[in-house]
C-alpha cells in the first residue's frame, strides 16, 4: 500500500472510532455484558470471548493487552498502521480476510488441554514464592498437596491449576520463576476459562483476585481460618471463572472484589459489579489493597519498597464534579417543571447537569 500522510487529526479520529458500532457493521458477533460488549469469535483452538469492548477501547483479558481502535485492527486483524487507519476512516471497506467465522453453529476444532509435565520437585517454585514474593510456606504447601500448584519440568515455571466441579484439571496458568529478565505469564493452550486457580470453603464469602500470586499474598497476610472462605484468581479481570464458581457453589452469595488498586482494577470493579448484578449477585463489595496490589502490600510488610496505588484521576474528577452539581438533588416529581423553567429562563447550561444527574 502506498504511504498516506495522515494528519494528526485523522489519526486521532481513527483511534476514537466506536468499535462496537464498527464491528457490528462488519458482521462481527458482540454480546452485551454490563456497560461493555464481548467479542465472540472462533479460531483453530475453539470459541473465544475474552475481548471486551467499550466505545473505542478494548481489552483482551486472556492475553492482558488492549488499547484504542487502531491497535485493535493491528492486533486482531493483522493490519499495518496505514491499512488500519484507512479502514477506520472509511476510505475503503475491504473484506476482513482474517475475520473468524461468525456462526455459533459452525463446528470448530477444539485444541486438547494438556497440563505441563511436572518436575520431580518444587525447589525453584518454593524459592521464588518465598524469597521474592514472601508467600507463606504453609500456604504454598497447602496448594501443592492439592495438586493445584506445581513446578513444570521443562522451564521450571510455577503452574497454577483450575479444577472443575468434579476435581478435574481444566485450566492452567504458567508464571516464570526467574529473578532476572522479563516476566513470563501465559494461560496454557486448550484451557477452559470457566475455571481457574481457586479454593472453596463452606461459608458464603468469595474473594476475587486478578492473579494467583495476589491470592496467595492475601492468604499470607490474613491466614486466620482462611480455609472457611472461598478465593479465586481470574488471571486478569475476566469474569467467566467467577460466574462459574458462583453457579457451582450454592453457598456463595457475597463477593469481595480484591483486584488491583490501579486504573485497570478500579474500572474492573464497576464492570464486574454490573455483570454480577445482571446474574443475580448484588452483595458485592470492594476491598482495595493499600499499595498497587496484594503482593506489594506483602512486600511492604517485609521491608521491601512497594509500588504505590495508582489513582483513577479521570474517575475522581468525574465524581468530584458530580458531587458539586446542584441539580443532582432535584425531586423526580418536579423534574418536568424544572426543565420547563430552565427553557423559559434561558438557563440552558443546566440541561447538561440534568443529563449527568440522570446518567449517574
Amino acid at each position: 500500500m502506498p504511504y498516506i500522510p495522515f494528519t494528526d487529526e485523522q489519526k486521532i479520529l481513527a483511534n476514537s472510532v466506536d468499535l462496537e458500532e464498527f464491528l457490528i457493521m462488519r458482521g462481527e458477533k458482540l454480546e452485551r455484558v454490563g456497560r461493555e460488549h464481548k467479542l465472540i469469535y472462533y479460531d483453530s483452538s475453539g470459541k473465544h470471548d475474552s475481548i471486551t469492548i467499550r466505545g473505542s477501547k478494548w481489552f483482551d483479558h486472556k492475553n492482558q493487552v488492549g488499547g484504542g481502535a487502531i491497535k485493535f485492527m493491528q492486533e486482531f486483524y493483522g493490519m499495518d498502521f496505514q491499512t488500519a487507519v484507512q479502514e477506520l476512516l472509511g476510505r475503503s471497506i475491504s473484506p476482513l480476510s482474517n475475520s473468524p467465522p461468525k456462526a455459533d453453529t459452525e463446528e470448530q476444532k477444539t485444541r486438547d488441554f494438556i497440563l505441563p509435565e511436572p518436575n520431580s520437585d518444587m525447589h525453584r517454585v518454593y524459592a521464588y514464592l518465598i524469597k521474592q514474593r514472601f508467600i507463606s510456606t504453609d500456604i504454598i504447601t497447602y496448594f501443592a498437596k492439592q495438586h493445584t500448584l506445581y513446578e513444570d519440568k521443562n522451564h521450571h515455571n510455577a503452574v497454577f491449576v483450575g479444577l472443575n466441579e468434579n476435581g478435574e484439571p481444566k485450566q492452567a496458568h504458567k508464571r516464570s520463576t526467574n529473578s532476572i529478565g522479563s516476566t513470563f505469564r501465559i494461560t496454557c493452550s486448550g484451557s477452559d476459562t470457566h475455571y481457574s486457580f481457586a479454593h472453596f470453603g463452606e461459608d458464603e464469602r468469595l474473594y476475587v483476585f486478578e492473579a494467583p500470586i495476589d491470592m496467595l499474598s492475601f492468604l499470607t497476610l490474613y491466614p486466620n481460618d482462611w480455609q472457611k472462605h472461598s478465593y479465586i484468581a481470574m488471571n486478569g479481570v475476566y469474569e467467566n471463572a467467577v460466574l462459574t464458581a458462583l453457579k457451582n457453589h450454592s453457598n456463595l452469595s457475597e463477593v469481595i472484589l480484591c483486584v488491583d488498586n490501579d486504573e485497570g482494577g478500579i474500572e474492573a470493579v464497576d464492570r464486574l459489579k454490573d455483570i454480577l448484578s445482571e446474574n443475580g449477585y448484588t452483595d458485592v463489595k470492594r476491598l482495595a489493597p493499600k499499595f498497587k496490589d496484594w503482593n506489594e502490600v506483602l512486600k511492604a510488610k517485609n521491608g521491601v519498597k512497594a509500588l504505590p496505588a495508582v489513582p483513577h484521576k479521570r474517575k475522581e474528577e468525574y465524581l468530584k464534579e458530580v458531587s458539586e452539581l446542584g441539580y443532582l438533588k432535584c425531586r423526580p416529581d418536579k423534574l418536568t417543571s424544572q426543565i420547563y423553567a430552565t427553557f423559559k429562563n434561558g438557563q440552558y447550561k443546566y440541561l447538561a447537569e440534568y443529563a449527568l444527574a440522570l446518567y449517574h
Side-chain angles (χ1 to χ4, degrees), residues 122 126 136-147 149:
M122 290 181 59
Y126 267 91
S136 162
T137 303
D138 291 341
I139 297 296
I140 301 170
T141 300
Y142 175 86
F143 288 98
K145 289 181 177 179
Q146 301 297 313
H147 305 292
L149 170 59

Side-chain angles (χ1 to χ4, degrees), residues 33-34 206 208 239 242-243 246 255-257 269-285:
V33 182
L206 175 65
V208 177
E239 75 282 354
V242 177
L243 294 175
L246 291 168
V255 180
I256 313 294
L257 299 176
V269 170
D270 292 335
R271 173 177 169 274
L272 291 169
K273 281 185 175 180
D274 285 345
I275 293 170
L276 289 166
S277 178
E278 288 178 356
N279 284 272
Y281 299 96
T282 56
D283 190 359
V284 182
K285 301 179 179 66

Side-chain angles (χ1 to χ4, degrees), residues 5-49:
F6 293 113
T7 65
D8 289 342
E9 290 77 9
Q10 287 175 316
K11 294 174 186 176
I12 293 171
L13 180 61
N15 208 37
S16 61
V17 164
D18 189 314
L19 280 173
E20 296 169 353
E21 294 181 1
F22 182 87
L23 294 174
I24 290 172
M25 182 174 67
R26 280 156 175 76
E28 297 288 1
K29 179 177 176 57
L30 299 179
E31 288 184 359
R32 184 82 179 181
V33 182
R35 298 177 183 178
E36 301 176 321
H37 282 85
K38 279 184 183 179
L39 174 63
I40 310 298
Y41 71 97
Y42 297 91
D43 62 17
S44 59
S45 64
K47 179 180 177 181
H48 300 275
D49 61 356

Side-chain angles (χ1 to χ4, degrees), residues 108-120:
Q108 301 294 332
K109 182 180 178 181
T110 302
R111 189 173 299 173
D112 291 336
F113 170 65
I114 301 174
L115 282 173
E117 185 178 356
N119 195 36
S120 59

Side-chain angles (χ1 to χ4, degrees), residues 188-208:
C188 295
S189 176
S191 288
D192 185 341
T193 57
H194 290 86
Y195 303 97
S196 188
F197 181 67
H199 165 79
F200 296 106
E202 297 179 354
D203 73 3
E204 72 286 351
R205 188 173 298 171
L206 175 65
Y207 292 87
V208 177

Side-chain angles (χ1 to χ4, degrees), residues 293-333:
D293 58 44
W294 293 102
N295 192 245
E296 296 300 324
V297 175
L298 192 53
K299 286 180 181 178
K301 185 178 179 181
N302 284 274
V304 176
K305 185 177 180 180
L307 294 174
V310 182
H312 197 305
K313 294 182 179 179
R314 288 179 290 112
K315 184 171 183 178
E316 289 181 357
E317 184 64 27
Y318 164 76
L319 294 174
K320 178 177 178 293
E321 292 296 325
V322 165
S323 68
E324 295 174 356
L325 293 177
Y327 279 87
L328 282 174
K329 298 180 180 179
C330 64
R331 292 172 53 186
D333 58 328

